[in-house]
Structures are given as structure tokens and as C-alpha cells.
Amino acid sequence: MKVLVTYNMFRDGYSELIEKYDVTFPAEGQESFSYEEVLEMIPEYDVLQSMYNFPVTKELLDKGVNLKIVSNYAAGFENIDVDYATQKGIVITNTPDPVTEPTADMAMGLMLSVMRRIADCDRRLRTNELEWGLLDNLGYSLWGKTLGIYGMGRIGQALARRAKAAGMKIIYNNRRPVDPHIESLYDAKYVSFDELLAASDVISLNAPNTPQTHHIINKETISKMKPTATIINTARGPLINEKELADALRSRQIYGAGLDVFEGGHKVSEELLDLDNVVLTPHTGTQTYDVRNEMAAFVSRNIINFFEGGTVCRVN
Ligand code: GLV
């Protein structure tokens, strides 16, 4: 089998795949194959191993005349035309298991950083712009606050576990309530989206990017939040209308935000860059040495099990 990996990832996690199949990575010194390069190479390959932001389009799927499986290195898969792949009988897989805990860590870290002003103080301390008074640099405690989780899937639940340990109360909104057993683990209460907006001290977005979740945070929904509320987004940028969030942060209509993902992908809205009440990270929710290899091993397992039998994490 011939496997094309689009990104020059650490090889450790791929060792089993490399042993079994003919695997092509970008050459040393090249970060990733471009879309055009993949388009040219794909007719030769049985497997495409794409990254979360690599577009797997109709055009590419048509060119992939030998393609049997696209194994996406991500939990999300909106970079792939799944419907068209399904029509063509091409299997799409993803990697939910290894991304769950690190993404929840990131949401928790952003929450702490915004509410306790860690990044803000660090920045101002270095430039001598910081006062040390007991009433300077005030933030908000997590203990006793209400966390509203939008999207109570695996990452939402992993965040609930952390937040419960930090003494937070958990409410959530989801397409439908989760199993009562899961609710009882976190003392989590299902509420409507409007209740979530009104009652939460922190809202964490943990839902996929779909037409239903697009711009779920916007001028109107922000106006229903507490003036002390914080928004955390480790899911996907388009869940937030970034311009309208920046306006609300600038006018202190809400307290703060922690964002790991952006509407423009790697392009962060200029409006956010000048604000001290937002913490910005470059989509590093899964960016640890450990997780990079775990994700590579997981995509490899999906591919090997697809051909040899065994569990495959399919999305279609
Ligand atoms: C990361 O953003 C992922 O979808 O795994």
C-alpha cells in the first residue's frame, strides 16, 4: 500500500505504518506538501493522511483514483468533503481519542490565564508597566463559579472533570442531554442555550464547526451574558463572530476571552491584538510532544486496521 502523509511530522508515532507500507513524507526541510503537489501525486496513492487544515476537496478525491481511505490527523474533519468521499466509497477517519485530554487542558489553561490574568501580568511585568498593589491586577476566582460548556462531547466532559476539581459548578448545552450517569459524574446540569448564556461565569465552546454552530457567539448572544463573563474557544474559530467579540471586549461588555482558534485560521483579527483582556494562542490545543506522536500512532492504527481488520475510527 502507498501512503501519502502531507506533513513532515515526527516519525516515532508512524513506526508501525512505515514498517508495513510504503509511506511518503515531505522531504527534509519541507514542512508540508502543498495542495498542488498532493494533487499531482495522489493518483499513485491508496491512502492520504491529511492534517486538520489540509483541504481534501472534490477535485482531489477525483484525482485519487486509487484512494481508499483518508486518515485525518485531527478530531475535526471539516477540511474534508465527507459527503463526496462517501459517494465515492472512500472511508474517512479521525483521531478523537488522543486530542480529548490535551484540548481540555488547553481550555482549562486559558480559563485560568484569563480569569487570574496570568498572561496579562506576565506581559506587563516584563515591560515595567505593572503595579504591585493589593487592588491591582484583580481577576476572578474559579472556585464557586459556574462553567457553561457548549458541546458536552468527549472534550466537554474532560473539561467538566477538571473544572469540577477546581470547585466550579457545571452547566451545559448540547444537541441533547447526555446520559444521566455522565451528568452525575460532574454534577452537570443540562440547560437551554439562553440559560447557559445568562448563568455562566465562563462559557467554553467545545462543539464542532457546523452550519448550526457558526457564529453562535455574536453581538446578540454576547448581550445575554454576564458583564463578568469569560469566553473560551478551543474548538473552531468560526463559532465566534470575532469582530463582534472584539467590540464587546474593547467596551468591557464582558470580562475576557481565551482563544486558541480564529475565524481566519492562522490570521488573527487585528482588533484582538491590542486588547489586554484576551489571551491568544496559535491553535496549540494538541501541541505537545506526547500528543503529536499519539496522534500519529492513532492515524497509523486507523490505516492498518482498515486494511487488516480491527477498530477504525470512521466518520462516514
Ligand atoms: C484539532 O484541532 C483537532 O481537530 O484535532
Side-chain angles (χ1 to χ4, degrees):
M1 290 299 160
K2 281 176 72 77
V3 183
L4 181 59
V5 180
T6 62
Y7 199 89
N8 218 338
M9 184 53 64
F10 301 145
R11 299 296 194 270
D12 296 12
Y14 289 104
S15 54
E16 207 185 342
L17 192 73
I18 293 169
E19 221 169 83
K20 286 180 178 280
Y21 304 136
D22 176 0
V23 186
T24 308
F25 289 91
E28 208 182 317
Q30 184 183 6
E31 188 183 3
S32 62
F33 288 123
S34 68
Y35 176 75
E36 287 69 29
E37 285 171 323
V38 172
L39 207 54
E40 199 161 301
M41 297 163 80
I42 202 67
E44 300 273 302
Y45 286 87
D46 303 284
V47 182
L48 175 64
Q49 200 268 265
S50 48
M51 297 295 156
Y52 79 91
N53 55 357
F54 187 92
V56 181
T57 59
K58 275 196 177 71
E59 176 187 42
L60 189 68
L61 292 166
D62 278 338
K63 285 256 176 163
V65 286
N66 287 311
L67 212 51
K68 297 158 185 69
I69 168 170
V70 176
S71 184
N72 212 37
Y73 185 106
F77 45 86
E78 77 272 25
N79 57 310
I80 301 174
D81 191 331
V82 177
D83 288 345
Y84 194 62
T86 308
Q87 272 178 44
K88 293 184 74 83
I90 298 170
V91 167
I92 310 295
T93 65
N94 71 339
T95 63
D97 297 28
V99 312
T100 300
E101 301 298 333
T103 309
D105 279 348
M106 196 68 191
M108 197 68 198
L110 285 172
M111 197 181 340
L112 278 162
S113 189
V114 176
M115 292 178 76
R116 300 305 311 274
R117 300 182 60 170
I118 296 171
D120 176 36
C121 286
D122 175 85
R123 197 166 44 237
R124 287 183 299 109
L125 188 146
R126 290 162 194 268
T127 52
N128 255 333
E129 291 164 64
L130 175 131
E131 302 293 334
W132 292 69
L134 267 69
L135 295 178
D136 293 313
N137 312 310
L138 289 170
Y140 285 100
S141 302
L142 272 67
W143 184 267
K145 294 294 189 310
T146 298
L147 169 64
I149 299 177
Y150 178 70
M152 194 64 156
R154 297 165 62 149
I155 298 171
Q157 290 172 35
L159 176 62
R161 179 160 25 88
R162 285 160 175 75
K164 189 180 178 214
M168 300 183 87
K169 297 183 192 108
I170 315 293
I171 57 177
Y172 74 98
N173 179 255
N174 203 39
R175 271 168 303 180
R176 64 190 84 86
V178 297
D179 194 282
H181 163 69
I182 294 172
E183 286 189 344
S184 70
L185 284 178
Y186 312 115
D187 297 326
K189 183 169 166 250
Y190 180 84
V191 295
S192 70
F193 185 56
D194 270 2
E195 278 176 83
L196 189 95
L197 293 170
S200 300
D201 297 298
V202 187
I203 293 181
S204 174
L205 304 179
N206 299 103
N209 177 21
T210 65
Q212 292 73 40
T213 63
H214 183 82
H215 283 187
I216 191 89
I217 298 297
N218 56 49
K219 195 161 60 172
E220 195 205 323
T221 54
I222 291 171
S223 73
K224 298 179 180 169
M225 294 179 196
K226 295 183 182 181
T228 50
T230 288
I231 297 175
I232 303 297
N233 190 7
T234 54
R236 286 291 185 262
L239 269 66
I240 295 183
N241 181 325
E242 215 164 275
K243 166 91 183 55
E244 292 179 5
L245 173 65
D247 289 345
L249 289 169
R250 190 179 317 97
S251 63
R252 310 277 158 174
Q253 190 185 341
I254 56 169
Y255 172 71
L259 308 175
D260 189 43
V261 285
F262 303 92
E263 262 199 280
H266 293 185
K267 176 109 190 61
V268 180
S269 299
E270 288 289 324
E271 290 98 326
L272 291 172
L273 298 177
D274 291 335
L275 301 174
D276 58 12
N277 51 349
V278 58
V279 176
L280 309 167
T281 51
H283 201 157
T284 46
T286 57
Q287 204 111 325
T288 73
Y289 291 105
D290 324 63
V291 177
R292 284 287 163 260
N293 282 323
E294 285 164 23
M295 290 176 77
F298 202 93
V299 287
S300 299
R301 256 292 118 214
N302 274 336
I303 297 166
I304 295 166
N305 287 356
F306 173 77
F307 289 113
E308 300 189 1
T311 310
V312 176
C313 211
R314 291 175 70 144
V315 306
N316 67 345

